[in-house]
Amino acid sequence: MTRRPVSARAVGEIAVAVVIVIAVIVTIRILRDSAPQARLPHVGTAAPDSDDPDIVTCERTLPDAEETQQAIDQVEPVGLISSTEVLECPDAFDQQVVVYVGEVIGDVLNRDGGAWLLVNDDDYALEVGPLRGHGDYRGGNSGLAVWLPAPLPDLEPGRGDVRGTVIQVRGRIHRSDAADGGGLTLRALSADTVSILREAQDLDRPVHRAQAVAAVLFALLAAGITLQARRSESRR
Amino acid sequence: MLIRPDRDDLQVIGFYLGKVMVGVGYVLGAPMLVAAVMGDWDDLTAFLLGAGLSISIGRLAERRFATTQQLDWSHGLVTAALSWLLGAALFAVPLDLSGHYGSYVDAYFEAMSGLTATGLTLTQDIDHMSVSVNLLRHITHFLGGQGIIIVMLTGLGSSSGQVSTLYVGEGRDDRILPNVVRTARFIYLVASVYLVVGTIALALAGLVAGFSPLRSVIHGLNLFMAAFDTGGFATNSTSISYYHSAAIEGVLIVLMVAGALSFLLHYELWRGRRREVLENLEVRTIAVTGLITTSLLLLGLARAGTFTDVGSLFRKGVFSAISAHTSTGFTVNASRMFVTDWGRIAPAALLMALALGGMASSTAGGVKGIRVGLAAKSVSRDVRRAIQPDAAVVAVTYTQRHRRRITDAPVRSAITILVLYVLLFLSGALVGVYYGVPFEQALFESTSASVNGGMSVGVLEPGTPLPMKLTYTAQMWLGRLEFMAVFALLGYGIALVRGRI
């Protein structure tokens, strides 16, 4: 079989194709960056005002894991904490009574006379709201698993375009919660130690029209090329 | 002498790449439908744009490069390597438009991580991600786990002769049935049965855990795809600890193990040949390495005092060990706690389990049980030779579908791939160290990317330097294709420039 060398025209075609692909990617970036903002104003912090929260550090002396319940109960409350602090130094917070503020996320898992929640205290939860509403990138999420005993307040979890209820919980950190199979949890001391700081909010985002127009154009192009290809095949 | 590929070579590669791109476009129809039902209009238009783009480019390529020429080995390998690059690029379009990625590179990383069933993520604010975009992430696991090209081409009606070389190019080497299309159909059958049974089981466990019926189905479906395809994506930032459910963890263990078994073994079990499971070298190897790594992990956790009761130690420890050894990457604790609360032995045991991985021709990653088993058998043969008289004949055998005698060729091939993996782990770790990451953490992250494991100690995050992200992306690609297709692509590139006509 004779070998047919790659022609200059073919190389040119490949170069044009690469340029088109890069142009499409750039267009997509422009489209994404031009997404309309939510009508929700800057949501602001939901944390309680505190000039000098008593924040625990990793230098703190730990209560021994085998400490008696009585001794654990005598541990002084340590004030407002963040999930990042706890995850960076879980041992330091074990059995501490803390105050934690965050947004209820995903699902409220009602069972066994209470509910499990994921409560985030990252910037999306407490500062700027869900990412899609503003495009202000603040990294990943951070939160703690929280157990609330019944009766529960009226909670709407955050997901998609909903900014969930922001709650304040006073509870005890369990570095390895045997009742949860060893998970790191925050158990509210009682139903009375949970309060709602902000109700859930919907992100009222207008439809991204430029993206919709581009999508329809590409869909029509794809349909046109497919139909033409089918016609050519049937003619053959 | 290198022979420069000619126009016919490029034509046949372009033609099959076109088919794969069309397939990507059709796949985007599923999350598009979900977006329509949920009323996520911007996501719907993002999927429509991605689908329109994929189908347009794919159809144009099919037309421009139309050919009846058969794929030979080099075409198959090059097409496989390029398909994974292009597939990730196209899936990255709707992901990027979702607004959850800081750059197109991040979205590309996510798509590659999904397709290679790795599970590392650069998603920002995943806890506010829409159902349809999250579904797309998990669908990429399902496609990649089975093999993207096989799914696309057999789904679009290609013949066995056309796709057989691609099958090998995607890192599969066991042909279960006489031809590749029938093998691919068997793979779909296995995956579909597990899909239905696994999703129902997870949804029921979700209901018991306190989810609403609709949410339990959504979580069940996503969890299934991430578990059976040993991917490791999760719908939220806290992975499996989100569920607080021993039942869900139990079902996931079964699915992860099923995913890490080769489709050939599923076939043997399907036909009632249970003995194959007990005699198979790879199964035996994984049983031994699994036992060793799990014991080490439990020992390490006990020594570090991570858990305060035996029940928790076993529940979290065994789940984590299986998640690592099957290269799934689900976690039951925050990533940072591997560093801050697990001591030193337990993360090292996890790293070992991740590196070893599951069975060849399964959805799992890792260096694979068969290679470790063959290397161990070879060492045993050499030791026996050394202690026997010179005239003695030492024959070592193993069972892999049928009884085989150890020969030098498969051992050499296994050890070559093992060495390549080790080099890949180290080179990725060096990039991390260059950017100031402690060596142990850099090695963990690099290994996790290379073996498509997906566990993280928190090194990878959206703010990670771009060269590290690109390194991990390349590692996921190389690891999933097990080097050969990527080397063939590089060779093709060199031949295009320096080869002779």
PDB file of all heavy atoms in Angstrom, chain A residues 178-202:
ATOM      1  N   ALA A 178     -18.471   7.813  70.023  1.00  0.00           N
ATOM      2  CA  ALA A 178     -18.786   6.381  69.915  1.00  0.00           C
ATOM      3  C   ALA A 178     -20.200   6.163  69.374  1.00  0.00           C
ATOM      4  O   ALA A 178     -20.452   5.209  68.626  1.00  0.00           O
ATOM      5  CB  ALA A 178     -18.633   5.718  71.271  1.00  0.00           C
ATOM      6  N   ALA A 179     -21.114   7.052  69.714  1.00  0.00           N
ATOM      7  CA  ALA A 179     -22.498   6.895  69.254  1.00  0.00           C
ATOM      8  C   ALA A 179     -22.624   7.178  67.759  1.00  0.00           C
ATOM      9  O   ALA A 179     -23.663   6.883  67.154  1.00  0.00           O
ATOM     10  CB  ALA A 179     -23.401   7.818  70.045  1.00  0.00           C
ATOM     11  N   ASP A 180     -21.597   7.748  67.178  1.00  0.00           N
ATOM     12  CA  ASP A 180     -21.603   8.004  65.726  1.00  0.00           C
ATOM     13  C   ASP A 180     -20.534   7.145  65.046  1.00  0.00           C
ATOM     14  O   ASP A 180     -20.054   7.470  63.960  1.00  0.00           O
ATOM     15  CB  ASP A 180     -21.331   9.503  65.468  1.00  0.00           C
ATOM     16  CG  ASP A 180     -21.385   9.845  63.990  1.00  0.00           C
ATOM     17  OD1 ASP A 180     -22.274   9.321  63.288  1.00  0.00           O
ATOM     18  OD2 ASP A 180     -20.518  10.610  63.523  1.00  0.00           O
ATOM     19  N   GLY A 181     -20.150   6.080  65.667  1.00  0.00           N
ATOM     20  CA  GLY A 181     -19.145   5.197  65.058  1.00  0.00           C
ATOM     21  C   GLY A 181     -17.772   5.822  64.981  1.00  0.00           C
ATOM     22  O   GLY A 181     -16.956   5.439  64.145  1.00  0.00           O
ATOM     23  N   GLY A 182     -17.497   6.804  65.853  1.00  0.00           N
ATOM     24  CA  GLY A 182     -16.148   7.361  65.907  1.00  0.00           C
ATOM     25  C   GLY A 182     -15.971   8.680  65.192  1.00  0.00           C
ATOM     26  O   GLY A 182     -14.852   9.178  65.083  1.00  0.00           O
ATOM     27  N   GLY A 183     -17.057   9.271  64.694  1.00  0.00           N
ATOM     28  CA  GLY A 183     -16.945  10.542  63.973  1.00  0.00           C
ATOM     29  C   GLY A 183     -16.675  11.713  64.900  1.00  0.00           C
ATOM     30  O   GLY A 183     -16.912  11.638  66.104  1.00  0.00           O
ATOM     31  N   LEU A 184     -16.170  12.799  64.317  1.00  0.00           N
ATOM     32  CA  LEU A 184     -15.982  14.029  65.088  1.00  0.00           C
ATOM     33  C   LEU A 184     -17.306  14.784  65.050  1.00  0.00           C
ATOM     34  O   LEU A 184     -17.800  15.124  63.964  1.00  0.00           O
ATOM     35  CB  LEU A 184     -14.859  14.858  64.472  1.00  0.00           C
ATOM     36  CG  LEU A 184     -14.359  16.050  65.287  1.00  0.00           C
ATOM     37  CD1 LEU A 184     -12.957  16.430  64.831  1.00  0.00           C
ATOM     38  CD2 LEU A 184     -15.251  17.256  65.216  1.00  0.00           C
ATOM     39  N   THR A 185     -17.888  15.017  66.201  1.00  0.00           N
ATOM     40  CA  THR A 185     -19.219  15.636  66.218  1.00  0.00           C
ATOM     41  C   THR A 185     -19.289  16.767  67.240  1.00  0.00           C
ATOM     42  O   THR A 185     -18.478  16.849  68.159  1.00  0.00           O
ATOM     43  CB  THR A 185     -20.301  14.604  66.594  1.00  0.00           C
ATOM     44  OG1 THR A 185     -20.056  14.150  67.929  1.00  0.00           O
ATOM     45  CG2 THR A 185     -20.288  13.414  65.653  1.00  0.00           C
ATOM     46  N   LEU A 186     -20.306  17.575  67.042  1.00  0.00           N
ATOM     47  CA  LEU A 186     -20.668  18.585  68.033  1.00  0.00           C
ATOM     48  C   LEU A 186     -22.101  18.263  68.449  1.00  0.00           C
ATOM     49  O   LEU A 186     -23.014  18.314  67.613  1.00  0.00           O
ATOM     50  CB  LEU A 186     -20.583  19.985  67.417  1.00  0.00           C
ATOM     51  CG  LEU A 186     -21.208  21.123  68.241  1.00  0.00           C
ATOM     52  CD1 LEU A 186     -20.487  21.302  69.572  1.00  0.00           C
ATOM     53  CD2 LEU A 186     -21.161  22.433  67.456  1.00  0.00           C
ATOM     54  N   ARG A 187     -22.295  17.908  69.696  1.00  0.00           N
ATOM     55  CA  ARG A 187     -23.642  17.575  70.167  1.00  0.00           C
ATOM     56  C   ARG A 187     -24.199  18.751  70.967  1.00  0.00           C
ATOM     57  O   ARG A 187     -23.586  19.160  71.970  1.00  0.00           O
ATOM     58  CB  ARG A 187     -23.609  16.322  71.035  1.00  0.00           C
ATOM     59  CG  ARG A 187     -23.424  15.057  70.218  1.00  0.00           C
ATOM     60  CD  ARG A 187     -23.413  13.812  71.079  1.00  0.00           C
ATOM     61  NE  ARG A 187     -23.289  12.634  70.236  1.00  0.00           N
ATOM     62  CZ  ARG A 187     -24.328  11.928  69.765  1.00  0.00           C
ATOM     63  NH1 ARG A 187     -25.567  12.281  70.077  1.00  0.00           N
ATOM     64  NH2 ARG A 187     -24.129  10.882  68.994  1.00  0.00           N
ATOM     65  N   ALA A 188     -25.334  19.277  70.518  1.00  0.00           N
ATOM     66  CA  ALA A 188     -25.951  20.389  71.245  1.00  0.00           C
ATOM     67  C   ALA A 188     -26.279  19.934  72.659  1.00  0.00           C
ATOM     68  O   ALA A 188     -26.703  18.794  72.870  1.00  0.00           O
ATOM     69  CB  ALA A 188     -27.209  20.837  70.520  1.00  0.00           C
ATOM     70  N   LEU A 189     -26.092  20.813  73.628  1.00  0.00           N
ATOM     71  CA  LEU A 189     -26.339  20.426  75.022  1.00  0.00           C
ATOM     72  C   LEU A 189     -27.820  20.118  75.243  1.00  0.00           C
ATOM     73  O   LEU A 189     -28.172  19.203  75.971  1.00  0.00           O
ATOM     74  CB  LEU A 189     -25.884  21.543  75.957  1.00  0.00           C
ATOM     75  CG  LEU A 189     -24.371  21.824  75.955  1.00  0.00           C
ATOM     76  CD1 LEU A 189     -24.045  22.972  76.891  1.00  0.00           C
ATOM     77  CD2 LEU A 189     -23.584  20.583  76.348  1.00  0.00           C
ATOM     78  N   SER A 190     -28.684  20.889  74.603  1.00  0.00           N
ATOM     79  CA  SER A 190     -30.129  20.624  74.666  1.00  0.00           C
ATOM     80  C   SER A 190     -30.777  21.392  73.522  1.00  0.00           C
ATOM     81  O   SER A 190     -30.119  22.198  72.843  1.00  0.00           O
ATOM     82  CB  SER A 190     -30.697  21.103  76.003  1.00  0.00           C
ATOM     83  OG  SER A 190     -30.718  22.518  76.014  1.00  0.00           O
ATOM     84  N   ALA A 191     -32.071  21.135  73.325  1.00  0.00           N
ATOM     85  CA  ALA A 191     -32.777  21.840  72.250  1.00  0.00           C
ATOM     86  C   ALA A 191     -32.779  23.348  72.507  1.00  0.00           C
ATOM     87  O   ALA A 191     -32.853  24.149  71.570  1.00  0.00           O
ATOM     88  CB  ALA A 191     -34.205  21.312  72.145  1.00  0.00           C
ATOM     89  N   ASP A 192     -32.693  23.729  73.776  1.00  0.00           N
ATOM     90  CA  ASP A 192     -32.727  25.162  74.117  1.00  0.00           C
ATOM     91  C   ASP A 192     -31.433  25.886  73.762  1.00  0.00           C
ATOM     92  O   ASP A 192     -31.400  27.121  73.747  1.00  0.00           O
ATOM     93  CB  ASP A 192     -32.963  25.327  75.631  1.00  0.00           C
ATOM     94  CG  ASP A 192     -34.281  24.705  76.044  1.00  0.00           C
ATOM     95  OD1 ASP A 192     -35.176  24.630  75.174  1.00  0.00           O
ATOM     96  OD2 ASP A 192     -34.401  24.288  77.211  1.00  0.00           O
ATOM     97  N   THR A 193     -30.375  25.134  73.528  1.00  0.00           N
ATOM     98  CA  THR A 193     -29.092  25.807  73.242  1.00  0.00           C
ATOM     99  C   THR A 193     -28.878  26.017  71.746  1.00  0.00           C
ATOM    100  O   THR A 193     -27.764  26.260  71.302  1.00  0.00           O
ATOM    101  CB  THR A 193     -27.917  24.997  73.820  1.00  0.00           C
ATOM    102  OG1 THR A 193     -27.921  23.703  73.234  1.00  0.00           O
ATOM    103  CG2 THR A 193     -27.984  24.889  75.320  1.00  0.00           C
ATOM    104  N   VAL A 194     -29.949  25.843  70.962  1.00  0.00           N
ATOM    105  CA  VAL A 194     -29.874  26.068  69.511  1.00  0.00           C
ATOM    106  C   VAL A 194     -30.750  27.266  69.172  1.00  0.00           C
ATOM    107  O   VAL A 194     -31.909  27.325  69.593  1.00  0.00           O
ATOM    108  CB  VAL A 194     -30.395  24.839  68.733  1.00  0.00           C
ATOM    109  CG1 VAL A 194     -30.293  25.065  67.232  1.00  0.00           C
ATOM    110  CG2 VAL A 194     -29.643  23.594  69.149  1.00  0.00           C
ATOM    111  N   SER A 195     -30.191  28.217  68.454  1.00  0.00           N
ATOM    112  CA  SER A 195     -31.023  29.353  68.058  1.00  0.00           C
ATOM    113  C   SER A 195     -30.779  29.692  66.596  1.00  0.00           C
ATOM    114  O   SER A 195     -29.699  29.416  66.051  1.00  0.00           O
ATOM    115  CB  SER A 195     -30.710  30.565  68.936  1.00  0.00           C
ATOM    116  OG  SER A 195     -29.328  30.828  68.883  1.00  0.00           O
ATOM    117  N   ILE A 196     -31.795  30.252  65.976  1.00  0.00           N
ATOM    118  CA  ILE A 196     -31.680  30.628  64.557  1.00  0.00           C
ATOM    119  C   ILE A 196     -31.203  32.076  64.472  1.00  0.00           C
ATOM    120  O   ILE A 196     -31.812  32.971  65.073  1.00  0.00           O
ATOM    121  CB  ILE A 196     -33.036  30.454  63.848  1.00  0.00           C
ATOM    122  CG1 ILE A 196     -33.361  28.962  63.751  1.00  0.00           C
ATOM    123  CG2 ILE A 196     -33.014  31.098  62.466  1.00  0.00           C
ATOM    124  CD1 ILE A 196     -34.683  28.652  63.094  1.00  0.00           C
ATOM    125  N   LEU A 197     -30.110  32.265  63.745  1.00  0.00           N
ATOM    126  CA  LEU A 197     -29.586  33.625  63.577  1.00  0.00           C
ATOM    127  C   LEU A 197     -30.088  34.265  62.291  1.00  0.00           C
ATOM    128  O   LEU A 197     -30.189  35.476  62.190  1.00  0.00           O
ATOM    129  CB  LEU A 197     -28.052  33.607  63.559  1.00  0.00           C
ATOM    130  CG  LEU A 197     -27.351  33.124  64.814  1.00  0.00           C
ATOM    131  CD1 LEU A 197     -25.859  33.327  64.677  1.00  0.00           C
ATOM    132  CD2 LEU A 197     -27.866  33.830  66.057  1.00  0.00           C
ATOM    133  N   ARG A 198     -30.344  33.432  61.298  1.00  0.00           N
ATOM    134  CA  ARG A 198     -30.867  33.978  60.034  1.00  0.00           C
ATOM    135  C   ARG A 198     -31.675  32.899  59.324  1.00  0.00           C
ATOM    136  O   ARG A 198     -31.242  31.755  59.230  1.00  0.00           O
ATOM    137  CB  ARG A 198     -29.731  34.443  59.134  1.00  0.00           C
ATOM    138  CG  ARG A 198     -30.247  34.928  57.784  1.00  0.00           C
ATOM    139  CD  ARG A 198     -29.156  35.367  56.847  1.00  0.00           C
ATOM    140  NE  ARG A 198     -28.607  36.634  57.245  1.00  0.00           N
ATOM    141  CZ  ARG A 198     -27.326  36.933  57.231  1.00  0.00           C
ATOM    142  NH1 ARG A 198     -26.469  36.051  56.826  1.00  0.00           N
ATOM    143  NH2 ARG A 198     -26.902  38.115  57.588  1.00  0.00           N
ATOM    144  N   GLU A 199     -32.821  33.293  58.805  1.00  0.00           N
ATOM    145  CA  GLU A 199     -33.662  32.340  58.064  1.00  0.00           C
ATOM    146  C   GLU A 199     -33.016  32.045  56.712  1.00  0.00           C
ATOM    147  O   GLU A 199     -32.176  32.810  56.232  1.00  0.00           O
ATOM    148  CB  GLU A 199     -35.055  32.944  57.834  1.00  0.00           C
ATOM    149  CG  GLU A 199     -35.833  33.244  59.105  1.00  0.00           C
ATOM    150  CD  GLU A 199     -36.248  31.986  59.860  1.00  0.00           C
ATOM    151  OE1 GLU A 199     -36.230  30.894  59.256  1.00  0.00           O
ATOM    152  OE2 GLU A 199     -36.559  32.080  61.068  1.00  0.00           O
ATOM    153  N   ALA A 200     -33.445  30.944  56.114  1.00  0.00           N
ATOM    154  CA  ALA A 200     -32.930  30.581  54.781  1.00  0.00           C
ATOM    155  C   ALA A 200     -33.360  31.615  53.742  1.00  0.00           C
ATOM    156  O   ALA A 200     -34.379  32.285  53.914  1.00  0.00           O
ATOM    157  CB  ALA A 200     -33.441  29.208  54.403  1.00  0.00           C
ATOM    158  N   GLN A 201     -32.557  31.713  52.689  1.00  0.00           N
ATOM    159  CA  GLN A 201     -32.881  32.668  51.612  1.00  0.00           C
ATOM    160  C   GLN A 201     -32.686  31.995  50.256  1.00  0.00           C
ATOM    161  O   GLN A 201     -31.717  31.237  50.088  1.00  0.00           O
ATOM    162  CB  GLN A 201     -31.924  33.874  51.670  1.00  0.00           C
ATOM    163  CG  GLN A 201     -32.063  34.731  52.906  1.00  0.00           C
ATOM    164  CD  GLN A 201     -30.853  35.639  53.061  1.00  0.00           C
ATOM    165  OE1 GLN A 201     -29.759  35.169  53.334  1.00  0.00           O
ATOM    166  NE2 GLN A 201     -31.052  36.927  52.870  1.00  0.00           N
ATOM    167  N   ASP A 202     -33.593  32.306  49.333  1.00  0.00           N
ATOM    168  CA  ASP A 202     -33.406  31.817  47.960  1.00  0.00           C
ATOM    169  C   ASP A 202     -32.546  32.801  47.199  1.00  0.00           C
ATOM    170  O   ASP A 202     -32.718  34.014  47.339  1.00  0.00           O
ATOM    171  CB  ASP A 202     -34.757  31.704  47.246  1.00  0.00           C
ATOM    172  CG  ASP A 202     -35.485  30.452  47.689  1.00  0.00           C
ATOM    173  OD1 ASP A 202     -34.804  29.476  48.027  1.00  0.00           O
ATOM    174  OD2 ASP A 202     -36.731  30.468  47.720  1.00  0.00           O
TER     175      ASP A 202
END
